Amino acid sequence: MPSTAAEPSAALRDLRSRRGLSVAALATRAGIPAPTIRAWESGRRRPSANALLRVAEVLAVDPREILPTPAWRLGRLSEEISDDEEQTWSPSKLGDWLRCPAYFRFRHVDQLPAVTDTVESVLGRAVHRAAEIALRAISPNAAASDAGAPLESPGAAMAAEIQAGLDEMAGASAASGPDEEEVGAAPPDPTALIDEAAALHGLWQAEVLPRIGRPIAIEVRTEIRVAGVRMTVIPDVIAEGWVRDLKTTRRKPAQADLDENLQATAESLAYRELTGETERGVAFDYLVRTKKPYALTLETSRGPKDHDRLARIVAAAADSVAAGRYWPNPQNKFGCARCPYREICRDAY
């Protein structure tokens, strides 16, 4: 296992120095602003998952040698960190293939750089991290991916996640150039986002936390087999027979969407793998970011037909990737307008 004895700032500084790289040289190679790297080394900020991967690639190390990775980051890193060459999937990776196989190819196979984060995703991760910290504080005996790691305050964690995410977005945009919609647009306001994250966390504490009960597992990475394919799933929390996931969204979610949601199906299988029992159900706790934010919990259940459907879809996706078959899907719900690979795709297909 990678050593985590050193503080993250000291570990990064030591690895960089041993490879004879200045901060400026590492910044250029990784496509990240030099002030951001200095902030990481000083301990004032923490890198996001994508930035951590880029720096680790330049330094030729496992990302966990740089930073003992919090659980929510493992969900993104698990697709890249593996002890063997076996293809590994996750619900988010499967979602990318369903969105557009060509997008999947450019992002996961060719690993082309792109600004894939948004202000909404940065905010969502910050609120998610604060909720994880709060759950671990009240359930110290629950299994957790980063059990034993020191607990930050939720407020400090949200501020750090937001600043790191915005830094990464700015660095990636500077390296690739802003898209047409970003030209002339005001940069995101970190203070306003931190305030919004704090309000959403307060809403979660008041209305969602009492519904959860006492967790037995928080952000535990679980590997399951679906149609013979390895899939990594990290349920947010398991408590009182339920597997739960926290979401932030700008629109009211629909029950029909949750009933068809493949992430919920994968989390049902993860619950059974972790506990050896059948879950009572899967619950998605939504924080809806309307003018007056509110919390909404939707519940669903999964059975053999749902698990078989997931297996068929995973098998189709894995076969497509193994055979190198990809195609553009401009009819997906996101369309092509905001796709970071739009120009490359038009040349390739």
Side-chain angles (χ1 to χ4, degrees):
M1 285 292 293
S3 172
T4 60
E7 290 296 319
S9 56
L12 175 56
R13 187 166 49 245
D14 181 59
L15 288 165
R16 176 178 59 75
S17 298
R18 280 190 289 170
R19 283 155 179 76
L21 292 173
S22 65
V23 170
L26 177 58
T28 298
R29 295 189 188 187
I32 294 168
T36 299
I37 292 178
R38 292 192 187 96
W40 297 342
E41 292 192 352
S42 70
R44 289 184 289 114
R45 296 178 186 167
R46 293 163 66 89
S48 63
N50 288 339
L52 186 62
L53 284 173
R54 293 209 299 273
V55 170
E57 184 177 6
V58 172
L59 298 176
V61 296
D62 185 305
R64 290 166 292 193
E65 290 189 41
I66 302 172
L67 178 67
T69 308
W72 72 261
R73 286 189 176 89
L74 282 176
R76 300 173 72 181
L77 294 174
S78 62
E79 298 167 14
E80 309 296 338
I81 303 173
S82 178
D83 295 330
D84 54 48
E85 297 300 318
E86 183 181 357
Q87 188 181 134
T88 303
W89 289 75
S90 69
S92 63
K93 195 171 179 180
L94 180 62
D96 286 343
W97 184 82
L98 290 167
R99 165 184 176 175
C100 175
Y103 174 90
F104 179 98
R105 169 199 158 181
F106 297 133
R107 180 174 183 183
H108 298 287
V109 180
D110 298 342
Q111 296 186 342
L112 299 181
V115 182
T116 55
D117 263 341
T118 64
V119 171
E120 286 74 18
S121 65
V122 169
L123 179 67
R125 287 200 305 270
V127 174
H128 189 281
R129 177 61 177 157
E132 177 194 349
I133 291 170
L135 285 167
R136 287 178 56 206
I138 65 172
S139 304
N141 296 323
S145 288
D146 55 355
L151 288 176
E152 305 170 83
S153 73
M158 286 189 292
E161 299 295 356
I162 286 172
Q163 191 62 64
L166 295 182
D167 284 348
E168 183 180 355
M169 288 174 61
S173 181
S176 61
D179 63 28
E180 294 178 0
E181 295 188 24
E182 291 176 329
V183 175
D189 180 356
T191 301
L193 285 174
I194 290 169
D195 289 344
E196 182 177 2
L200 290 172
H201 179 63
L203 179 65
W204 175 85
Q205 285 185 304
E207 299 193 24
V208 176
L209 182 58
R211 305 172 191 167
I212 293 176
R214 180 168 291 278
I216 63 169
I218 303 166
E219 300 277 356
V220 172
R221 173 177 171 166
T222 308
E223 287 195 348
I224 59 176
R225 286 280 171 179
V226 182
V229 176
R230 183 167 65 188
M231 176 174 279
T232 298
V233 187
I234 307 180
D236 284 357
V237 59
I238 290 176
E240 310 295 337
W242 289 84
V243 55
R244 310 185 75 98
D245 201 84
L246 175 62
K247 303 286 187 183
T248 57
T249 179
R250 284 191 174 276
R251 65 180 182 87
K252 182 179 178 179
Q255 182 69 47
D257 290 340
L258 179 57
D259 290 340
E260 298 296 325
N261 188 289
L262 294 178
Q263 179 185 348
T265 308
E267 291 187 349
S268 162
L269 291 171
Y271 180 99
R272 299 177 192 203
E273 179 69 24
L274 279 169
T275 68
E277 301 174 355
T278 300
E279 72 283 357
R280 293 172 60 191
V282 179
F284 276 23
D285 298 309
Y286 296 94
L287 300 177
V288 187
R289 297 171 56 211
T290 51
K291 186 175 182 180
K292 183 178 180 181
Y294 63 95
L296 174 67
T297 294
L298 297 180
E299 300 173 353
T300 189
S301 60
R302 292 295 185 268
K305 288 185 177 180
D306 303 295
H307 297 153
D308 288 345
R309 180 170 181 260
L310 176 64
R312 293 194 301 272
I313 294 173
V314 169
D319 288 347
S320 167
V321 172
R325 295 193 304 268
Y326 308 102
W327 56 92
N329 176 25
Q331 302 304 317
N332 73 83
K333 69 177 182 178
F334 301 100
C336 296
R338 297 288 293 172
C339 179
Y341 308 116
R342 179 176 55 185
E343 297 304 321
I344 298 171
C345 184
R346 288 175 68 86
D347 292 337
Y349 298 98

